Each structure stands twice: as structure tokens, then as C-alpha cells.
Amino acid sequence: GKSNRVSILLRVLPVLTILSVTFLMQSERGSFVFPAQNSNEEINSAQIVANDIDFLEMGLNTGKINSAQIVGNDRDFLEIGLKTGTDKVLGPRRLEKCRKDAKDCVRDAVEPKCRTGARHFYHTVYQKWLGSSSIDNVEPFQFLEIGFYHGEGYDAYTTFMPRGEAHSMEISCTKQWPEKWGNFAMTNPRYQEYRDKQRLHCGDASKYEDLKRVWNTKMKRPDAPPLKLVIDDGSHLAIHMATTLFFWFPRIEPGGILVVEDIQPIKMANEFRLHLLPQVMKDLHYCGDDRVKDDVCFPTIRHLVQSIHCEMHICVFERNNEPSEEPDEEHSMPPPHALKSKKCLFGED
């Protein structure tokens, strides 16, 4: 009768409320651990963030999750980045000072965030996409940073994601680097430790030979965890950013991500932002049917892209569930039109 329906409703409402809050939390936080999960798949490990006993019991009863899939709180990338001193997170503090006194602004700009100069706001991206990979019980994974420099960013990543097997490539410690410019990496107090543990690799990340050497001899080991993350914070030259994308994106395991930093409006990076990125975006929406004449810009990576997410001066390329690949040298490097978009986008030479 009516009283029974009311009783059932009162029992169901708390569960519905918990579910609503949980999914709202996911919406705010972004994807869980390295997403790219199809909507018809069951809930994967480390994808649920909840402490409510009713939600836990409900999940266990439905068989969708088990107790090992409930995770704790994320680490705070902003807090960690401020401690290591990386410029990835120095934007908010400088902007606060700049708003109070124009003398503390690095330059004039219409967009307030740009007034901070090379001090960035990347913590929002890293918290959104990597927060759930910062927990203590996440499955081990491997990640690579392009551009160690002084190591503040590397130290932030390793502190933020202690379960990740970290690697970094740096050109300033190579023999071909001009001696007068110095070895930037040596300023890090743990430089020799990172070298001895074979986590910091001296090499030119724009050269196929160096990339292949680091991948084959240092990272692609039988006992290595899966490669789930690559971050480009190297020279900021558009062609070098493109090389990172074309070499590493196919080698990242399903559901992983590739991050390219410093895609700001500067001459050295402009071609990546204005030419390469729109072509990847076009391929993301490619259908390949007879209704609309359309061409694929980048056939070596088009079938691997799940999504592209950008915030100011930083973009995330998300891998779908297709298996990782080992392209040959020709297909591991940017094609001739990578930084010349007119032909693929508009049919113009």
C-alpha cells in the first residue's frame, strides 16, 4: 500500500543521494585513474572514491566492485609543487601579488594569468588527470618526463606519484651539449642518485636514436610496469613537441595520457598550437564514411586518440583502449605536414 511505497522510498533516497554526490565529485575531479574506459565496461579498480558504508555495501552486493577498489584521498599537487619550487604551480601566488600591486606583474596582458610570465597554473590539470594516481594503493605504473632541467618538476612528480616508476630525459648532461652552457641537471642535489638508479637519462629527446635507446634499454624491461604517462617540458620547440607526441603516444598503454606543457603564444611553440593541435582535433572527429569527403591528417595516431583536454598553455592527449604499438622509425616521427596544417584542414598547399 501507500505506506509500503513511502517506506521503500525512504530507504532508497539515501543511496541515490550518495550516488549523486559521488558522480558530482567525479565530474569536478575529472577522470579517475588513467581513464579511457568505455561506457559499457564494469567499474575498474581504483575508480571509486567513497567512504560511506551504505555505498560500499551496495557496490559489494551488486558485484560491480570489491573492497580493494575503494581508494583514499589524493595528494595535493599544488602543495607539493610549491615545496619543490617548480614553475608549474607558481602562477597563483604571483597573480595574487600582481592583482594587489602592478609592480609585481611580469608583463602587461589582457588575460590576468599571462601577467605572471613563466609562472604557470598547471596544478589544476595535474590534479584532475593524475590525482587518483597519487594514492598509495594504485597499481604501479611507469612515467617519463621530457626535460629534467634543474629537477623541480621531476621531484614534484615523484613526490606526488610515489607508486610511479619515474624516468626523465635531459639533453644538458650529454657530451654534445655545449660545455659553456653547463649541465643544468647537476644543480639538483639528487642528480647522481638519479643517474645511478638509471632514472635520469642523458639524451636528445628530439632524436629517434636517443628515444629508442632509452625506451629499449631503460624502460621497456620485462619487469617494468606499464607506461601510462609521458610529459613534455623540454625545449618548447614545436617540432620537438611533435616528436614527443608521435614517438611516445603509440607506446603508451591503453588509458594513459601524454601531456605537452608550455603551448603558449611564443614563436618557438606557435606551430604546435596553431597547426598540429587542430589536425589532431580534426582526426578525433573523423568518421570515414561516404557522406562527407574527409581525410585523416595523422593516420599513425588517429586511431589511438580518445580525447584532447586543454587548459591555458597545457594540453592532455588521452589514449583510448587500443593496444600499445611499436612503430618503425618513419612512423615514430612527425610527418612533413605536422606543422603545416592548411592542406589537411582546408585542402590548400
Side-chain angles (χ1 to χ4, degrees), residues 263-276:
I263 312 176
Q264 58 257 49
I266 54 176
K267 185 176 181 180
M268 60 200 307
N270 271 344
E271 290 177 324
F272 188 94
R273 179 175 56 93
L274 299 177
H275 290 271
L276 188 144

Side-chain angles (χ1 to χ4, degrees), residues 232-238 240-241 261-262 264 266 268-270:
D232 185 292
D233 185 22
S235 69
H236 312 327
L237 288 170
H240 293 175
M241 295 172 171
E261 295 186 0
D262 301 318
Q264 58 257 49
I266 54 176
M268 60 200 307
N270 271 344

Side-chain angles (χ1 to χ4, degrees), residues 45-46 54 58 68 87 89 143-144 160 163 185 196 202 204 219 240 254-255 267 285 292 312 326 335:
S45 62
D54 291 336
M58 185 188 70
D87 63 358
V89 303
F143 71 90
L144 169 70
F160 184 63
R163 296 282 287 169
D196 293 342
C202 298
D204 186 343
M219 297 177 64
H240 293 175
K267 185 176 181 180
H285 300 288
V292 180
M312 177 165 278
E326 285 283 343

